Amino acid sequence: MKMAKSLLLGSAVGLISVAGAQAADLPVKAKAIEYVKICSLYGAGFYYIPGTDTCIKLGGYLRADTMLATNFDFDAASSGVSGAQNRLSNYYTSRVRQDLQIDTRTASEYGIVRTFAELAFTWTSGTYSGSGTGGTAYTTSAGSQVAGGSLGIYYAFIQFAGFTFGRAASAFRTPWGEYPANNFELPGSGGWDPVAQVTYTADFGQGVTASVSAQDQVANYQTAIWNMTAATAAGLATGNYGANDIGGSRAPDLVFSVRVDQAWGLFQASFAAHDNHAAYYGATELTGHPDDKWGWAGQLALSIKGLPTGAGDTINLTGVYTNGASRYNFHDYMGSAFAMYGGTSVPGAYQSLGVAGVSDSVFVAGSGQELTTTYGFNGGYTHNWDPYWSTSLFGAYAAVRYNGTAKSYICGAFVATLAISSGAAGCNPDFNYAVVGTATRWSPVKNLAFTAELGYLMLDQKYATGSTVTLPVQTSIAKPAAAYELKDQNSLVLLLRAQRNF
């Protein structure tokens, strides 16, 4: 009996030992995989970052452009080799861009904490300019590289408790900026280009908001402060009438806006104050300087939706007036100096030239700054024929006006340096800049669009009819030293675009 019990106990121990060994050989249970979860708090496309309560959305687009009859993407043939209208001028210009947008949001006791960045990798075909020796040099927006490209940072900001810190849309501009129904660069409003800023926005509900902002003026909101004492023949010939004499940054632009954004459309009123800070009258600080002078800009905008012409049809309108703050009309995606060449019927003249320039202020040695006045508007109407086809009509007008003192400074240089044939009496640097155009878009599938857009620029200068100026040799655009008739000019360009959003 004892023997039998011993055998049973031994067998049991053996079985337990074997079972324990087998259990030890089994694989350890893997941790549960944490799958990416959809975040529905902020709209479609957001996902939770694993292990956090922060939601992220990735987006962007890939765009391919071809512009005909200009060396610029988005703009007319209004300066440089593009405006020269000779064998250096491009018949077409290409651009390809990959855009990436990163949007993160986190709920907090202070409201939503948001970061947003938009990065653009861009390649643009270049242009050839004269070297002055019978040769040419090739340049692109990224330097002298045939296959060069560039990285651009559009947006990069943080939003917290009503504040915005970083590079974001200016509180001055409308949601559409200079694009009421177009891609062509239009004057007549604050520009689209984001700007570094600190802004507070109060939300009163029902789509009513008010913003107050301090934004950087250096990169986006300066044209030129012309020192006419240092004017040169080469500068006058290109529309850069004086030496650009802007000093270091002193004060940001101060912006205030009120917006009503509702189902029927949008209304916005904006105001900006701009400090014009010049450097020196001459080469050193011993020559003295003009005092700072503040300029300003005011803007009204209206967008109308729900039009009886069709679902999704819209009208966008903007008007602006500036005094000493010209970039709020002629934004930074446009040039501020124009030189366009054409034919002439004036005896003794080689060709005709439409020349014009925009500044924030003008001065000469020993004087104060004379602020430049501009005003303008732009607008666009978009009609959707069906879910796949749409057509838009757009236009813009902008005027630049110099006061009597500023005109005397500029025209003094024209008489002394370019020998304008009509003398000071026929010299008037005021001008008008107008654009009309139309665009048609085809979207065969969602988020894919093909666009054809036609734009026509008219430069209306105010120099006396038949006046001529004597220009020096301009090697970069292959123009000889000769007499040129001062005459209105125009430019017709066509944009072809393919774009895929994601």
Side-chain angles (χ1 to χ4, degrees), residues 8 40 80 120 171 188 190 247 308 317 324 326 364 372 386 409 416 428 444 447:
L8 287 172
S40 59
L317 301 168
S326 300
V364 295
T372 304
D386 57 35
Y409 298 158
N428 184 353
N447 294 327

Side-chain angles (χ1 to χ4, degrees), residues 139-150:
T139 59
T140 71
S141 59
S144 300
Q145 303 175 35
V146 173
S150 62

Side-chain angles (χ1 to χ4, degrees), residues 65-78:
D65 286 354
T66 298
M67 287 285 289
L68 304 182
T70 180
N71 291 56
F72 305 115
D73 193 82
F74 300 118
D75 210 351
S78 59

Side-chain angles (χ1 to χ4, degrees), residues 395-426:
Y397 169 86
V400 175
R401 299 292 182 261
Y402 295 95
N403 65 28
T405 303
K407 286 179 180 177
S408 70
Y409 298 158
I410 296 170
C411 290
F414 261 80
V415 171
T417 309
L418 298 186
I420 184 170
S421 63
S422 56

Side-chain angles (χ1 to χ4, degrees), residues 313 382-391 440-444 450:
D313 289 7
T382 300
H383 173 64
N384 295 279
W385 301 100
D386 57 35
Y388 309 103
W389 289 91
S390 66
T391 297
T440 294
R441 303 168 188 86
W442 176 48
S443 299
F450 299 92

Side-chain angles (χ1 to χ4, degrees), residues 253-346:
D253 284 8
L254 304 177
V255 177
F256 176 77
S257 65
V258 176
R259 179 181 293 180
V260 179
D261 191 351
Q262 298 177 342
W264 59 266
L266 176 145
F267 171 79
Q268 181 173 323
S270 308
F271 176 84
H274 174 83
D275 179 37
N276 291 289
H277 176 72
Y280 297 101
Y281 290 130
T284 74
E285 58 193 39
L286 296 176
T287 59
H289 59 81
D291 292 337
D292 285 20
K293 201 165 186 178
W294 282 82
W296 62 276
Q299 177 179 269
L300 295 175
L302 178 68
S303 178
I304 303 174
K305 303 176 183 177
L307 298 173
T309 53
D313 289 7
T314 58
I315 293 176
N316 295 323
L317 301 168
T318 309
V320 66
Y321 186 96
T322 76
N323 183 243
S326 300
R327 273 294 182 219
Y328 289 92
N329 187 353
F330 289 83
H331 55 83
D332 67 319
Y333 278 7
M334 295 180 61
S336 57
F338 309 100
M340 304 170 66
Y341 289 83
T344 183
S345 59
V346 173

Side-chain angles (χ1 to χ4, degrees), residues 23-78:
D25 292 337
L26 290 176
V28 178
K29 186 177 180 181
K31 293 183 179 179
I33 298 175
E34 189 171 1
Y35 292 98
V36 176
K37 297 185 296 182
I38 294 174
C39 174
S40 59
L41 298 175
Y42 312 111
F46 281 91
Y47 295 86
Y48 282 102
I49 298 175
T52 75
D53 58 356
T54 296
C55 299
I56 187 170
K57 179 179 180 180
L58 301 179
Y61 62 82
L62 194 148
R63 171 190 296 168
D65 286 354
T66 298
M67 287 285 289
L68 304 182
T70 180
N71 291 56
F72 305 115
D73 193 82
F74 300 118
D75 210 351
S78 59

